[in-house]
Amino acid sequence: MKRNFILASMILSILALSSCNNSQHQQAAQGPMPFPVESATKSNVTVYNEYAANIEGEQNIEIRAKVDGFVDKIYIDEGAEVKKGQMLFKLSSQTLNQQVNAAKANIEVAKAQLVSAQVEVDKITPLVQKNIISAVQLQTAESSLNAAKAQLIASQANYMNAKENLDYTFIKSPVDGIIGSIPYRIGSLVGRSEAQPLTTVSNISNVYAYFTLNEKQLLQFNRQLNGNSIASKIKELPEVELILADGSTYDHKGKIETINGMVNPRTGSISYRAIFPNPANLLRSGSSGKVKMPSIENNIIMVPQKATYEMQGKKFVYLVNKENKVQAKEVSISTSIDEKFIVQNGLNEGETFVTDGLIKLREGMLIQPMNQKHSPEGNAAFSKK
């Protein structure tokens, strides 16, 4: 029995060895597995950086009452388009009308006093010339005449001031624009001391987009521009785009107009202002978006994101050596652009790496490299995510 068992075991071992040899011979006949590879090359890339922006109208003018009074009429509604000089509000004017009438009456009184003072001077002058009366009386009369003239000027000024205050009860738009919120209603008492304005008129024919860069971004950005002064650098700046709140790109491109002269010490950032045309009034004051600004990255190496894998928070690529064996290599990534990574360290120009199928690879594995076609070198454009 024992002899039969030993014989059966020997037969099974021979069959297993034969099967293994057949498998190895079959694998050797197939050869190494093919994998797509690519050689690392340096190129200049136009990168589009996005910065959160606040949008404001070219003019945001608060409409305030210059005189105290009750709101009699409101001629516009919130969100309405208005033209320069268009009526917005009418304030009560009864008291101011009385002040205008009183000031006008004071002018007539002053004129009468002036006439009387002039008559007195005309009467005394020949008498003084004939030495009938003293010259002191003439001087007194002339002083009264001068006082009457001054009183008339003061009365006229008071009338103009009262009339101007009356005109202030008719509140008109100083610019073309869009009406903001109206916190007051008919009958509300308003005046110069009110915290809230009657409304706001926003001139949005052009809009400003305000955004910030940190110090590192500012230095990097400035090194790419020619010119020694801020004005000369601004002239070198390319046009920028605006990404709206719904993710769409605004139809019109803008231009950076100003760069703040100081870095905010609390945030370490500096503010930029770009201007965009707004012919269709699509953009409104207070809205938000993202300014998309191009910058050039010189002599950089980019790899497809699928050509990397992550382990313990680090990223790796598989390099291919002269024997067509793969070797894992850690790389340092600076940023992601579309479906590619910008490699900061770890990959040198000319080195070959596997671009796809990394899950099938193992350290030291022999592969069959399949070269991919390279995209044309030179300037390419990408957007940061």
Side-chain angles (χ1 to χ4, degrees), residues 101 108 110 239 264 268-269 321:
N101 292 334
E108 298 302 320
E239 289 185 320
N264 188 322
S269 61
N321 62 19

Side-chain angles (χ1 to χ4, degrees), residues 349-379:
E349 187 175 17
E351 290 184 322
T352 302
F353 59 93
V354 180
T355 60
D356 201 0
L358 274 62
I359 194 171
K360 301 176 183 178
L361 295 175
R362 296 293 180 269
E363 183 75 14
M365 181 176 173
L366 181 66
I367 68 168
Q368 180 184 351
M370 303 292 291
N371 288 322
Q372 292 182 318
K373 292 182 179 180
H374 296 283
S375 58
E377 294 185 1
N379 287 341

Side-chain angles (χ1 to χ4, degrees), residues 203-320:
N203 178 5
I204 57 173
S205 56
N206 294 302
V207 296
Y208 292 133
Y210 294 90
F211 62 101
T212 59
L213 272 69
N214 59 41
E215 290 184 75
K216 182 179 178 181
Q217 292 169 328
L218 176 64
L219 290 172
Q220 182 182 2
F221 194 69
N222 285 340
R223 288 191 181 106
Q224 298 175 359
L225 301 176
N226 298 322
N228 297 322
S229 65
I230 295 295
S232 61
K233 288 182 181 293
I234 289 177
K235 288 181 180 180
E236 294 289 327
L237 292 173
E239 289 185 320
V240 295
E241 296 180 349
L242 183 63
I243 308 299
L244 304 180
D246 61 357
S248 63
T249 301
Y250 185 53
D251 292 336
H252 303 278
K253 291 187 176 182
K255 183 69 177 176
I256 294 177
E257 280 194 333
T258 62
I259 301 175
N260 197 313
M262 291 184 61
V263 175
N264 188 322
R266 291 180 298 176
T267 62
S269 61
I270 190 168
S271 65
Y272 282 57
R273 187 186 77 196
I275 187 170
F276 291 85
N278 189 30
N281 290 340
L282 178 65
L283 305 177
R284 297 296 178 97
S285 290
S287 57
S288 61
K290 293 180 181 179
V291 170
K292 189 176 180 181
M293 187 166 59
S295 63
I296 297 177
E297 301 281 350
N298 295 316
N299 298 321
I300 64 169
I301 294 176
M302 301 184 68
V303 299
Q305 292 186 11
K306 62 183 180 180
T308 67
Y309 69 95
E310 189 169 341
M311 182 182 295
Q312 296 181 348
K314 299 178 181 180
K315 291 195 179 294
F316 294 83
V317 296
Y318 275 115
L319 298 182
V320 182

Side-chain angles (χ1 to χ4, degrees), residues 46-314:
T46 300
V47 178
Y48 287 91
N49 303 282
E50 295 181 359
Y51 305 95
N54 296 320
I55 299 172
E56 297 292 341
E58 191 174 13
Q59 291 176 293
N60 290 324
I61 301 175
E62 292 184 345
I63 306 300
R64 293 184 176 274
K66 293 185 177 180
V67 293
D68 296 337
F70 294 95
V71 178
D72 272 352
K73 292 183 179 180
I74 301 175
Y75 296 97
I76 39 83
D77 200 357
E78 297 174 348
E81 294 186 24
V82 295
K83 299 294 183 181
K84 182 178 180 180
Q86 183 175 334
M87 282 288 296
L88 304 180
F89 301 92
K90 170 70 172 65
L91 304 184
S92 59
S93 57
Q94 184 176 358
T95 302
L96 293 175
N97 270 322
Q98 293 173 357
Q99 291 176 359
V100 169
N101 292 334
K104 192 173 183 179
N106 288 336
I107 290 177
E108 298 302 320
V109 172
K111 286 180 177 179
Q113 291 176 345
L114 178 61
V115 171
S116 177
Q118 184 66 55
V119 169
E120 185 68 16
V121 169
D122 293 341
K123 182 179 70 173
I124 293 177
T125 298
L127 297 177
V128 172
Q129 291 174 346
K130 295 177 182 180
N131 294 322
I132 297 176
I133 61 176
S134 170
V136 174
Q137 290 180 313
L138 178 60
Q139 292 175 353
T140 302
E142 289 176 341
S143 296
S144 298
L145 176 61
N146 292 332
K149 291 179 179 178
Q151 184 60 43
L152 177 60
I153 293 173
S155 298
Q156 290 173 336
N158 288 336
Y159 171 75
M160 294 301 296
N161 185 54
K163 190 173 182 301
E164 187 175 5
N165 286 337
L166 181 61
D167 291 340
Y168 287 153
T169 61
F170 300 92
I171 301 174
K172 301 178 181 181
S173 175
V175 294
D176 296 347
I178 306 294
I179 296 296
S181 61
I182 303 175
Y184 301 99
R185 294 293 178 262
I186 292 176
S188 300
L189 177 62
V190 297
R192 289 169 291 183
S193 61
E194 297 297 328
Q196 282 187 306
L198 295 174
T199 189
T200 302
V201 178
S202 298
N203 178 5
I204 57 173
S205 56
N206 294 302
V207 296
Y208 292 133
Y210 294 90
F211 62 101
T212 59
L213 272 69
N214 59 41
E215 290 184 75
K216 182 179 178 181
Q217 292 169 328
L218 176 64
L219 290 172
Q220 182 182 2
F221 194 69
N222 285 340
R223 288 191 181 106
Q224 298 175 359
L225 301 176
N226 298 322
N228 297 322
S229 65
I230 295 295
S232 61
K233 288 182 181 293
I234 289 177
K235 288 181 180 180
E236 294 289 327
L237 292 173
E239 289 185 320
V240 295
E241 296 180 349
L242 183 63
I243 308 299
L244 304 180
D246 61 357
S248 63
T249 301
Y250 185 53
D251 292 336
H252 303 278
K253 291 187 176 182
K255 183 69 177 176
I256 294 177
E257 280 194 333
T258 62
I259 301 175
N260 197 313
M262 291 184 61
V263 175
N264 188 322
R266 291 180 298 176
T267 62
S269 61
I270 190 168
S271 65
Y272 282 57
R273 187 186 77 196
I275 187 170
F276 291 85
N278 189 30
N281 290 340
L282 178 65
L283 305 177
R284 297 296 178 97
S285 290
S287 57
S288 61
K290 293 180 181 179
V291 170
K292 189 176 180 181
M293 187 166 59
S295 63
I296 297 177
E297 301 281 350
N298 295 316
N299 298 321
I300 64 169
I301 294 176
M302 301 184 68
V303 299
Q305 292 186 11
K306 62 183 180 180
T308 67
Y309 69 95
E310 189 169 341
M311 182 182 295
Q312 296 181 348
K314 299 178 181 180

Side-chain angles (χ1 to χ4, degrees), residues 15-36:
L15 291 174
L17 182 61
S18 176
S19 176
C20 182
N21 288 335
N22 289 336
S23 177
Q24 289 178 355
H25 286 305
Q26 188 176 10
Q27 183 177 3
Q30 291 178 350
M33 290 180 63
F35 284 88

